[in-house]
Amino acid sequence: MKPFKGERIFTPGPVEIPDRIREVLGRQIIHHRTPEFTEAFLETRELFKQLVDCKEDNFVFFASSGTGAMEASVLNFFEEGDKVIAVVGGKFGERWVELGKRWKLKVVELEVEWGKSVDPEAVERLLKENPDTKGVLVQASETSTGVYHDIKALADITRDSDALLVVDAITALGVYSIKPHEWGVDVLVSGSQKAFMLPPGLSMLWFSERAKSQLTDRAYYFNVREELKKQTEGQTAFTPAISLILGLREALLILLEEGMDKVESRYRLISKGMERAMETLGLSIFPKNPSISLTTVKPEDISSEALRKEMLKLGVRVAGGQGKLKGRIFRISHMGMDITDMPVVLSVLEIALKRLGYRVEFGSSVGAYLEAISAGLGYE
Ligand SMILES: *Cc1c(COP(=O)(O)O)cnc(C)c1O
């Protein structure tokens, strides 16, 4: 019995698109070589500056998914043969390694047990052993395991070294109030279909003054220097993802109207509520230091795939595991969700568990969630 209104999407990318953004995306296209586009583009850039809490114009947008901006980081800030440390504790950490190797960097892999955060001291030790390191590549929120790596602590280490800190914040920027300039991050990457609540196809790449001084010209399409020159003038080197840029302006307005501190508090509250809900159901949270962007669950004696499929029958899509976690976990995204959206997914989870023979007291997880939420709710 599928709900007639269609599927609810609780996957960590793509995420559901708020009505305000859908209204903008539904409009007729405008041409990009016009004052109208330039004005909207420059306004979007001003809003993005507010989001990253930075006065400088050091960022570009690309028409690509998030991985494009990851590749751009590898190409624009490093030369062939440069040594980099990649933190590998999940599928997206592995992507840094693959990208680095493909572009002929010397990649030193810092293996982290999947489900755990990197120990900043381990990075510090490895940097001491490899003083010629030019970069440390890491995820903020490792979406494949649901872990948050402590970016602030890592920046405290890299800022006193010659290594640039390159952060894939694809499921972190727009959820956490990240201040790359203040924290000492050098390169920050994001993508449209996660915390920005847009369709896929737009990526963002922010960089520090230090990183800017090391720009290379190895890339053509993803050339940061050329894009930056155009984009600060309100244009782009190639045809931009026009509708997504206009959508991004709306997304940034939504985030900034709520305020990034409050956005982060909302996601923290959802995260806490979901943790209590899973506890009540006897389901364990997989990561040790969970990202507040998603809830990652590792059921003990029930197949996560069976559960995911059962939930889909009731019109709720959650994500399974990736790589070596395939079939072992399921993931529920919080991105683009209000606190009142989560009881939907919990209700469907309860029904799915029951149908798979699990003992459930109906309403128990929803009740635990609501308890946690109302305890943490500030009314204005
Ligand atoms: C989704 C995701 C990516 C990949 O982004 P695409 O848009 O699929 O290219 C990379 N890193 C993290 C942490 C992600 O969540």
Coordinates of all heavy atoms in Angstrom, one line a residue, residues 35-86:
P35 N 22.7 41.0 -17.3 CA 22.8 41.7 -16.0 C 21.9 41.0 -15.0 O 22.3 41.0 -13.8 CB 22.3 43.1 -16.3 CG 22.3 43.2 -17.8 CD 22.2 41.9 -18.4
E36 N 20.8 40.4 -15.4 CA 19.9 39.8 -14.4 C 20.6 38.6 -13.7 O 20.5 38.4 -12.5 CB 18.7 39.3 -15.2 CG 17.6 38.8 -14.3 CD 16.4 38.2 -15.1 OE1 16.5 38.2 -16.4 OE2 15.4 37.7 -14.5
F37 N 21.3 37.8 -14.5 CA 22.0 36.6 -13.9 C 23.2 37.1 -13.1 O 23.4 36.7 -11.9 CB 22.6 35.7 -15.0 CG 23.4 34.6 -14.4 CD1 22.8 33.5 -13.8 CD2 24.8 34.6 -14.4 CE1 23.5 32.5 -13.2 CE2 25.5 33.6 -13.7 CZ 24.9 32.5 -13.2
T38 N 23.9 38.1 -13.6 CA 25.1 38.6 -12.8 C 24.7 39.1 -11.5 O 25.3 38.9 -10.5 CB 25.8 39.8 -13.6 OG1 26.4 39.2 -14.8 CG2 26.9 40.5 -12.8
E39 N 23.5 39.9 -11.4 CA 23.1 40.4 -10.2 C 22.7 39.3 -9.2 O 23.1 39.3 -8.0 CB 21.8 41.3 -10.4 CG 21.4 42.1 -9.2 CD 20.1 42.8 -9.4 OE1 19.8 43.2 -10.6 OE2 19.3 43.0 -8.5
A40 N 22.0 38.3 -9.7 CA 21.6 37.2 -8.9 C 22.8 36.4 -8.4 O 22.9 35.9 -7.3 CB 20.6 36.2 -9.6
F41 N 23.8 36.2 -9.3 CA 25.0 35.4 -9.0 C 25.8 36.1 -7.9 O 26.3 35.5 -6.9 CB 25.8 35.2 -10.3 CG 26.9 34.2 -10.1 CD1 26.7 33.0 -9.6 CD2 28.2 34.6 -10.5 CE1 27.7 32.0 -9.5 CE2 29.3 33.7 -10.4 CZ 29.0 32.4 -9.9
L42 N 26.0 37.5 -8.1 CA 26.8 38.2 -7.1 C 26.1 38.2 -5.7 O 26.7 38.1 -4.7 CB 27.1 39.6 -7.6 CG 28.1 39.7 -8.7 CD1 28.2 41.2 -9.2 CD2 29.4 39.2 -8.3
E43 N 24.8 38.3 -5.7 CA 24.0 38.2 -4.5 C 24.2 36.8 -3.8 O 24.4 36.7 -2.6 CB 22.5 38.5 -4.8 CG 21.7 38.8 -3.6 CD 20.2 38.9 -3.9 OE1 19.9 39.4 -5.0 OE2 19.4 38.5 -3.0
T44 N 24.2 35.8 -4.6 CA 24.4 34.4 -4.1 C 25.8 34.3 -3.5 O 25.9 33.7 -2.4 CB 24.3 33.4 -5.3 OG1 23.0 33.6 -5.9 CG2 24.3 32.0 -4.7
R45 N 26.8 34.9 -4.1 CA 28.1 34.9 -3.6 C 28.2 35.6 -2.3 O 28.9 35.2 -1.3 CB 29.1 35.5 -4.6 CG 29.3 34.5 -5.8 CD 30.4 35.0 -6.7 NE 31.7 35.1 -6.1 CZ 32.6 34.1 -6.0 NH1 32.4 33.0 -6.5 NH2 33.8 34.3 -5.4
E46 N 27.5 36.8 -2.2 CA 27.5 37.5 -0.9 C 26.9 36.7 0.2 O 27.4 36.6 1.4 CB 26.7 38.8 -1.0 CG 27.5 39.9 -1.8 CD 28.9 40.2 -1.2 OE1 29.0 40.4 0.1 OE2 29.8 40.3 -1.9
L47 N 25.8 35.9 -0.1 CA 25.2 35.1 0.9 C 26.1 33.9 1.3 O 26.1 33.5 2.5 CB 23.8 34.5 0.3 CG 22.7 35.6 0.1 CD1 21.6 35.0 -0.7 CD2 22.2 36.2 1.4
F48 N 26.8 33.4 0.3 CA 27.7 32.3 0.6 C 28.8 32.7 1.6 O 29.2 32.0 2.5 CB 28.3 31.7 -0.7 CG 29.0 30.4 -0.5 CD1 28.3 29.2 -0.4 CD2 30.4 30.3 -0.3 CE1 28.9 28.0 -0.2 CE2 31.1 29.1 -0.1 CZ 30.3 27.9 -0.1
K49 N 29.3 34.0 1.3 CA 30.3 34.5 2.2 C 29.8 34.6 3.7 O 30.5 34.3 4.6 CB 30.6 36.0 1.8 CG 31.7 36.1 0.9 CD 32.1 37.6 0.7 CE 32.3 37.9 -0.7 NZ 32.5 39.3 -1.0
Q50 N 28.5 34.9 3.8 CA 27.9 35.0 5.2 C 27.9 33.6 5.7 O 28.1 33.3 6.9 CB 26.5 35.5 5.1 CG 26.5 37.0 4.9 CD 25.0 37.5 4.8 OE1 24.2 37.1 5.6 NE2 24.8 38.4 3.9
L51 N 27.6 32.6 4.9 CA 27.5 31.2 5.4 C 28.8 30.7 5.9 O 28.8 30.1 7.0 CB 27.0 30.3 4.2 CG 26.8 28.8 4.7 CD1 25.5 28.6 5.3 CD2 27.0 27.9 3.5
V52 N 29.9 31.0 5.2 CA 31.2 30.5 5.7 C 31.9 31.6 6.6 O 33.0 31.4 7.0 CB 32.1 30.1 4.5 CG1 31.6 28.9 3.8 CG2 32.2 31.3 3.5
D53 N 31.1 32.7 6.9 CA 31.6 33.7 7.8 C 33.0 34.2 7.4 O 34.0 34.1 8.2 CB 31.7 33.1 9.2 CG 31.8 34.2 10.3 OD1 31.4 35.3 10.0 OD2 32.4 33.9 11.4
C54 N 33.1 34.7 6.2 CA 34.4 35.0 5.6 C 34.2 36.3 4.7 O 33.3 36.3 4.0 CB 34.9 33.8 4.8 SG 36.6 34.0 4.5
K55 N 35.2 37.2 4.9 CA 35.1 38.5 4.1 C 35.6 38.3 2.7 O 35.2 39.0 1.7 CB 35.8 39.6 4.8 CG 35.1 40.1 6.0 CD 35.7 41.4 6.5 CE 35.1 41.8 7.9 NZ 35.4 40.8 8.9
E56 N 36.6 37.4 2.5 CA 37.3 37.3 1.2 C 36.4 36.6 0.2 O 35.4 35.8 0.6 CB 38.6 36.5 1.4 CG 39.7 37.2 2.0 CD 39.5 37.3 3.5 OE1 38.8 36.4 4.1 OE2 40.0 38.3 4.1
D57 N 36.7 36.8 -1.1 CA 36.0 36.2 -2.2 C 36.5 34.9 -2.6 O 36.4 34.5 -3.8 CB 36.0 37.2 -3.3 CG 34.6 37.7 -3.6 OD1 33.7 36.9 -3.8 OD2 34.5 39.0 -3.7
N58 N 37.2 34.1 -1.7 CA 37.9 32.9 -2.1 C 37.1 31.7 -2.2 O 37.2 30.7 -1.4 CB 39.0 32.6 -1.0 CG 40.1 33.7 -1.0 OD1 40.1 34.6 -1.9 ND2 41.0 33.7 -0.1
F59 N 36.2 31.6 -3.2 CA 35.5 30.4 -3.5 C 34.9 30.5 -4.9 O 34.7 31.5 -5.4 CB 34.3 30.3 -2.4 CG 33.4 31.4 -2.4 CD1 32.2 31.5 -3.2 CD2 33.6 32.5 -1.5 CE1 31.4 32.6 -3.1 CE2 32.8 33.6 -1.5 CZ 31.7 33.6 -2.3
V60 N 34.6 29.3 -5.4 CA 34.0 29.2 -6.7 C 32.9 28.1 -6.7 O 33.0 27.2 -5.8 CB 35.0 28.8 -7.8 CG1 36.0 30.0 -8.1 CG2 35.8 27.6 -7.5
F61 N 32.0 28.2 -7.6 CA 31.0 27.2 -7.8 C 31.2 26.5 -9.1 O 31.6 27.2 -10.1 CB 29.6 27.8 -7.8 CG 29.2 28.6 -6.6 CD1 28.7 29.9 -6.7 CD2 29.4 28.2 -5.3 CE1 28.4 30.7 -5.6 CE2 29.1 29.0 -4.2 CZ 28.6 30.2 -4.4
F62 N 31.0 25.2 -9.1 CA 31.2 24.5 -10.4 C 29.9 23.8 -10.7 O 29.1 23.4 -9.8 CB 32.3 23.4 -10.2 CG 33.7 23.9 -10.2 CD1 34.4 23.7 -9.0 CD2 34.3 24.5 -11.2 CE1 35.7 24.2 -8.9 CE2 35.6 25.0 -11.2 CZ 36.3 24.8 -10.0
A63 N 29.6 23.6 -12.0 CA 28.5 22.7 -12.4 C 29.0 21.3 -12.4 O 29.6 20.8 -13.4 CB 28.0 23.1 -13.8
S64 N 28.8 20.6 -11.3 CA 29.3 19.3 -11.1 C 28.7 18.7 -9.8 O 28.2 19.5 -9.0 CB 30.8 19.2 -11.0 OG 31.2 19.5 -9.7
S65 N 28.7 17.4 -9.6 CA 28.3 16.9 -8.3 C 29.5 17.2 -7.4 O 30.6 17.7 -7.8 CB 28.0 15.5 -8.4 OG 29.1 14.6 -8.4
G66 N 29.4 16.8 -6.1 CA 30.4 17.1 -5.1 C 31.8 16.6 -5.4 O 32.8 17.3 -5.2
T67 N 31.8 15.4 -6.0 CA 33.1 14.8 -6.4 C 33.9 15.7 -7.3 O 35.2 15.7 -7.2 CB 32.9 13.4 -7.0 OG1 32.0 12.7 -6.1 CG2 34.2 12.7 -7.1
G68 N 33.3 16.5 -8.1 CA 34.0 17.4 -9.0 C 34.8 18.4 -8.2 O 36.0 18.7 -8.6
A69 N 34.2 18.9 -7.2 CA 35.0 19.9 -6.4 C 36.1 19.2 -5.6 O 37.1 19.8 -5.3 CB 34.0 20.6 -5.4
M70 N 35.9 17.9 -5.2 CA 37.0 17.1 -4.6 C 38.1 17.0 -5.6 O 39.3 17.2 -5.3 CB 36.5 15.7 -4.2 CG 35.5 15.7 -3.0 SD 34.8 14.0 -2.7 CE 36.2 13.2 -1.9
E71 N 37.8 16.6 -6.8 CA 38.9 16.5 -7.9 C 39.5 17.9 -8.1 O 40.8 17.9 -8.2 CB 38.2 16.0 -9.2 CG 39.3 15.7 -10.2 CD 38.9 14.6 -11.2 OE1 37.7 14.6 -11.6 OE2 39.8 13.8 -11.6
A72 N 38.7 18.9 -8.1 CA 39.3 20.3 -8.3 C 40.3 20.6 -7.2 O 41.3 21.2 -7.4 CB 38.2 21.3 -8.4
S73 N 40.0 20.2 -6.0 CA 40.9 20.5 -4.9 C 42.3 19.8 -5.1 O 43.3 20.4 -4.9 CB 40.4 19.9 -3.5 OG 39.0 20.3 -3.4
V74 N 42.2 18.5 -5.5 CA 43.4 17.8 -5.8 C 44.2 18.4 -6.9 O 45.5 18.5 -6.8 CB 43.1 16.3 -6.1 CG1 44.3 15.5 -6.7 CG2 42.5 15.6 -4.8
L75 N 43.5 18.9 -7.9 CA 44.2 19.4 -9.1 C 44.7 20.8 -8.9 O 45.8 21.2 -9.4 CB 43.2 19.4 -10.3 CG 43.2 18.1 -11.1 CD1 42.0 18.2 -12.0 CD2 44.4 17.9 -11.9
N76 N 44.0 21.7 -8.2 CA 44.3 23.1 -8.1 C 45.3 23.5 -7.0 O 45.9 24.5 -7.1 CB 43.1 23.9 -7.9 CG 42.3 24.1 -9.2 OD1 42.6 25.0 -10.0 ND2 41.4 23.2 -9.5
F77 N 45.4 22.6 -6.0 CA 46.3 23.0 -4.9 C 47.5 22.1 -4.7 O 48.3 22.3 -3.8 CB 45.4 23.0 -3.6 CG 44.3 24.0 -3.7 CD1 43.0 23.5 -3.8 CD2 44.5 25.3 -3.6 CE1 41.9 24.4 -4.0 CE2 43.5 26.2 -3.7 CZ 42.2 25.8 -3.9
F78 N 47.6 21.0 -5.6 CA 48.8 20.1 -5.4 C 49.4 19.9 -6.8 O 48.7 19.9 -7.8 CB 48.3 18.8 -4.8 CG 47.7 19.0 -3.4 CD1 46.3 19.0 -3.3 CD2 48.5 19.3 -2.3 CE1 45.8 19.3 -2.0 CE2 48.0 19.5 -1.1 CZ 46.6 19.5 -0.9
E79 N 50.7 19.6 -6.8 CA 51.4 19.2 -8.0 C 51.7 17.7 -8.0 O 51.6 17.1 -7.0 CB 52.7 20.0 -8.1 CG 52.6 21.5 -8.2 CD 52.3 22.0 -9.5 OE1 52.1 21.2 -10.5 OE2 52.2 23.3 -9.7
E80 N 51.9 17.2 -9.2 CA 52.3 15.8 -9.3 C 53.5 15.5 -8.4 O 54.4 16.3 -8.3 CB 52.8 15.6 -10.8 CG 52.3 14.2 -11.4 CD 52.7 14.1 -12.8 OE1 51.9 14.7 -13.6 OE2 53.7 13.4 -13.2
G81 N 53.4 14.4 -7.7 CA 54.5 14.0 -6.8 C 54.4 14.6 -5.4 O 55.1 14.2 -4.5
D82 N 53.4 15.5 -5.2 CA 53.3 16.1 -3.8 C 52.8 15.0 -2.9 O 52.0 14.1 -3.2 CB 52.2 17.2 -3.8 CG 52.8 18.5 -4.2 OD1 54.0 18.6 -4.5 OD2 52.0 19.5 -4.3
K83 N 53.3 15.0 -1.6 CA 52.8 14.0 -0.7 C 51.6 14.5 0.1 O 51.6 15.7 0.6 CB 54.0 13.7 0.3 CG 53.6 12.6 1.3 CD 54.7 12.4 2.3 CE 55.8 11.4 1.9 NZ 56.8 11.2 2.9
V84 N 50.6 13.7 0.2 CA 49.4 14.1 1.1 C 49.0 13.0 2.0 O 49.3 11.8 1.7 CB 48.2 14.5 0.2 CG1 48.4 15.7 -0.6 CG2 47.7 13.3 -0.7
I85 N 48.5 13.3 3.1 CA 47.9 12.3 4.0 C 46.4 12.3 3.8 O 45.8 13.3 3.8 CB 48.2 12.7 5.5 CG1 49.7 12.6 5.7 CG2 47.5 11.8 6.5 CD1 50.2 13.1 7.1
A86 N 45.8 11.1 3.6 CA 44.4 11.0 3.4 C 43.9 10.1 4.6 O 44.4 9.1 4.9 CB 44.0 10.3 2.1

